[in-house]
Amino acid sequence: MDFKSKRGVPSRARSRKIDPVSLEILWSRLIAISEEQAAMVLRTAFSSIVRESYDFTCVLLTPSGDLLAQPFQSLPGFTRCASTVMKHFLSRWPMRTSWHPDDVAMTNDPWLAAGHLNDVAIAVPVFHRGKIVAFSANIAHQADIGGRGYSADGASIFEEGLALPPMKLYQAGKVVPEVLQILAENVRLPDQVLGDIHAQVGAARLGARRVSELLDEAGLDNLDDIAVEVLSRSESAMRSALRRVRDGVYTNVGIMDGFDEPLTIALKLTIKGDKLEFDFTGTSAQINKGINSCYNYTYGYAAFAAKAVLEPLIPNNEGAYKPITLKVPEGTLLNSTRPAPGNSRGRVGHMIVPVVFGALAKALPDVVPAESGSPAPRVNFFGNGEDGSAFQCMLITSGGLGAGRDRDGLAGKSFPTNTKMTSLEIMESQSPIRFLRRELVCDSGGPGRHRGGLAQEIVAKVLGRKSVYVSTSSERIKNPPRGYRGGLHGAGALLSRNNGEYLAPKGRTLLKAGDIVTVRTPGGGGFGPPRARDKAALAYDLQQGYVSKAGAQKAYAKARTPKERA
């Protein structure tokens, strides 16, 4: 299929089978369009949670709402959410009758979109030659959405903030001012929230414009032929990957710290031919605290984990997930029902990945790494500064990665999410918080033939004269990341204030001026027995301060040289 630079070229080529070279070019162009959307969000967003921490994703979808393309750096939990919310938009506004080229739809309904109220989904139609050919959409975490603020201690969704059902923010190009007014009057940081939403709208519209330009350049009326090829090839690649795994039923159980008692994520993973089924029957019931996960968010992390192990290199789209089905009873921790709270559902979502990895490790023991230091704590300082203005300072921390068959785990790396911590200097400039220390934690990586990645410790002090709140959402304090194949566990997480005083791992605490908060993330699990670790590698760890002499004597006393291991 030849590309044409002249606009309005007849579309007789659209019925031809797309040759592999043209398909690769068009496919890459669609991904590049989603990357350009993401770049626009980053450069125009107001809040640090979006601009610095990258807590958003941009996508292109087919007219029926199937995921077609997204940037390479996208949040795993949003993998399913984008297509799910688009299909809910389409059920409310049928494609042929209810969309204008300048419409903008939005919602933050957790059960329709991305699992908690802070994530606002935006979608715009892509018109070309008078017809809808795609949708351009994105989801971004807002700095505030009202209610109790970002926390894990809400008893129902009604405490967690403002809920926006599917609605039009723009109708035929005209903004609906009441929607913006409702938002502005219900959030603590209206400038940041409205600024980020406008950044989302601008990026979605940019994506729509770029798709239409691409179709003109290629001489096509629509994306139908491209979408069929892209989705079918991705599906075929995933099915081929599944066929390379031995058929069987593989189980695993993850134990979370929970609130008053531990919580269980139970998994039966079945691979049969080119199909994979997750069955989370046996998982704990939903609770009246804000860590519950909705079905679509659960699917996103479960499917991501399978793809990461089985076929990590193909781009994310609907085809890659066609062979994967999910069974999870309603009313459970992984398929909550209204009005269950879920503000901090990421603690559960991130725990899904090691549970899936642990099940797949029984089929592919040398492929799957040990458990990583995730879920890592989320710590949110908020209140009013000396001048009375509201502030929010969110620590998106990361622990050590689990070690693998042929490598040590990396220290302080975000996984399975790829959000990152805003630089400490930026947070200090926007809040009455001073960071006294951020450093790697010696002996925190799980010992093994390959050592788990080190945890990090962050120490923050409240400045000024006013008290502020800190809202914490932490896991892995009582149940640290597990090692594999004889490797030992990584170190658990830790939260404290004022040199060892108790700080609730999931809750809200009033801090006085001068109070000091210490946050320590979990370390990654080790892989293989510690006695098999290379002496040169251990000597390097000692030299760098990754392992102490006492820690080495305890865990690696029987480490051997490569010649001795042979």
Side-chain angles (χ1 to χ4, degrees):
M1 183 177 68
D2 295 328
F3 279 83
K4 304 292 184 182
S5 59
K6 183 178 179 182
R7 301 178 74 86
V9 173
S11 61
R12 59 182 179 274
R14 70 190 168 110
S15 61
R16 303 177 192 170
K17 181 176 177 60
I18 303 177
D19 66 89
V21 174
S22 294
L23 176 64
E24 181 65 24
I25 293 171
L26 292 167
W27 193 345
S28 297
R29 287 283 296 276
L30 290 172
I31 294 172
I33 289 171
S34 66
E35 295 277 5
E36 189 176 1
Q37 292 181 69
M40 185 172 182
V41 172
L42 281 174
R43 285 162 175 75
T44 59
F46 281 49
S47 72
S48 60
I49 191 76
V50 174
R51 190 183 65 248
E52 302 290 334
S53 295
Y54 213 102
D55 199 344
F56 72 96
T57 197
C58 296
V59 298
L60 296 175
L61 304 122
T62 68
S64 61
D66 286 339
L67 177 63
L68 182 58
Q70 68 181 98
F72 287 105
Q73 185 174 349
S74 289
L75 300 185
F78 291 167
T79 297
R80 188 67 167 185
C81 299
S83 57
T84 299
V85 71
M86 191 65 242
K87 289 173 182 178
H88 283 293
F89 283 151
L90 288 169
S91 68
R92 187 177 183 104
W93 301 295
M95 188 179 69
R96 297 185 183 278
T97 59
S98 302
W99 293 90
H100 182 277
D102 294 319
D103 280 354
V104 176
M106 70 180 298
T107 185
N108 70 342
D109 187 312
W111 289 273
L112 306 185
H116 72 171
L117 293 172
N118 287 78
D119 286 332
V120 172
I122 295 285
V124 304
V126 181
F127 275 79
H128 183 70
R129 298 176 184 173
K131 295 183 178 180
I132 293 178
V133 297
F135 286 91
S136 177
N138 52 61
I139 302 172
H141 182 111
Q142 302 305 313
D144 188 69
I145 203 67
R148 298 176 65 87
Y150 186 84
S151 67
D153 56 349
S156 76
I157 193 71
F158 306 115
E159 297 182 24
E160 294 188 326
L162 177 66
L164 303 168
M167 60 179 63
K168 294 286 183 71
L169 177 59
Y170 283 80
Q171 289 187 322
K174 295 183 178 180
V175 69
V176 181
E178 291 82 4
V179 175
L180 296 179
Q181 186 177 359
I182 289 170
L183 274 165
E185 294 188 5
N186 281 276
V187 301
R188 298 171 180 85
L189 304 166
D191 290 345
Q192 292 188 32
V193 171
L194 297 185
D196 283 359
I197 286 175
H198 285 305
Q200 291 179 253
V201 172
R205 286 175 167 169
L206 173 67
R209 188 164 67 249
R210 291 289 188 259
V211 170
S212 183
E213 292 169 355
L214 174 61
L215 290 174
D216 268 342
E217 184 180 342
L220 295 172
D221 280 341
N222 54 55
L223 292 172
D224 292 355
D225 292 341
I226 302 170
V228 168
E229 288 292 326
V230 166
L231 301 185
S232 64
R233 287 172 184 249
S234 296
E235 180 179 351
S236 177
M238 181 59 79
R239 292 192 186 279
S240 294
L242 285 166
R243 283 193 291 268
R244 292 193 292 269
V245 183
R246 184 178 71 252
D247 283 1
V249 176
Y250 306 98
T251 61
N252 193 25
V253 175
I255 306 298
M256 300 185 64
D257 298 348
F259 276 83
D260 300 324
E261 58 185 12
L263 298 171
T264 298
I265 297 178
L267 171 63
K268 181 175 74 172
L269 187 155
T270 302
I271 295 178
K272 186 174 182 180
D274 62 358
K275 297 179 181 178
L276 184 155
E277 181 189 73
F278 295 110
D279 184 351
F280 285 100
T281 300
T283 294
S284 295
Q286 66 187 44
I287 62 175
N288 65 341
K289 296 293 182 181
I291 62 173
N292 301 289
S293 177
C294 299
Y295 180 92
N296 46 327
Y297 190 75
T298 293
Y299 183 99
Y301 269 110
F304 158 77
K307 183 177 179 295
V309 172
L310 300 171
E311 189 56 81
L313 298 182
I314 58 171
N316 277 338
N317 57 56
E318 203 81 18
Y321 300 106
K322 287 285 187 182
I324 300 174
T325 57
L326 176 69
K327 179 182 178 182
V328 51
E330 286 191 345
T332 61
L333 198 62
L334 301 185
N335 187 9
S336 64
T337 57
R338 295 181 190 272
N343 200 313
S344 191
R345 87 290 191 231
R347 304 312 86 203
V348 168
H350 295 180
M351 190 67 185
I352 292 169
V353 175
V355 173
V356 173
F357 274 15
L360 286 172
K362 297 176 181 179
L364 302 165
D366 290 331
V367 174
V368 180
E371 291 187 355
S372 294
S374 180
R378 291 282 175 97
V379 180
N380 186 33
F381 298 94
F382 65 98
N384 295 100
E386 293 296 301
D387 62 356
S389 61
F391 79 90
Q392 177 176 268
C393 179
M394 172 79 81
L395 290 182
I396 299 179
T397 67
S398 51
L401 291 186
R405 177 188 62 180
D406 54 4
R407 60 161 180 81
D408 290 345
L410 298 176
K413 296 296 289 185
S414 184
F415 183 83
T417 182
N418 52 14
T419 52
K420 59 183 181 180
M421 184 188 297
T422 300
S423 72
L424 303 186
E425 292 79 8
I426 288 176
M427 287 190 283
E428 286 181 335
S429 72
Q430 299 175 346
S431 65
I433 304 295
R434 176 174 296 163
F435 292 94
L436 306 180
R437 188 171 71 250
R438 182 186 182 189
E439 61 187 17
L440 298 179
V441 180
C442 180
D443 290 330
S444 59
R449 175 164 53 88
H450 292 289
R451 173 185 45 74
L454 299 186
Q456 59 179 312
E457 183 173 279
I458 302 160
V459 181
K461 181 178 181 179
V462 179
L463 302 180
R465 294 169 295 176
K466 290 189 174 183
S467 297
V468 303
Y469 283 100
V470 62
S471 179
T472 53
S473 179
S474 183
E475 273 290 331
R476 297 291 200 180
I477 294 174
K478 299 177 181 178
N479 296 279
R482 291 178 288 191
Y484 283 0
R485 308 293 297 277
L488 304 185
H489 295 349
L494 178 147
L495 292 176
S496 66
R497 67 170 175 170
N498 298 336
N499 299 317
E501 291 180 20
Y502 176 79
L503 183 64
K506 295 185 183 71
R508 179 189 310 254
T509 303
L510 182 66
L511 300 176
K512 298 178 181 179
D515 278 358
I516 294 174
V517 172
T518 299
V519 181
R520 182 178 295 180
T521 66
F527 193 100
R531 67 177 183 277
R533 185 157 181 78
D534 178 61
K535 281 186 176 180
L538 180 56
Y540 179 80
D541 284 350
L542 288 164
Q543 180 187 25
Q544 296 297 315
Y546 299 156
V547 176
S548 68
K549 289 183 179 179
Q553 291 172 352
K554 179 179 179 180
Y556 296 104
K558 297 181 181 179
R560 297 177 290 177
T561 64
K563 184 176 180 180
E564 290 171 333
R565 290 202 306 273

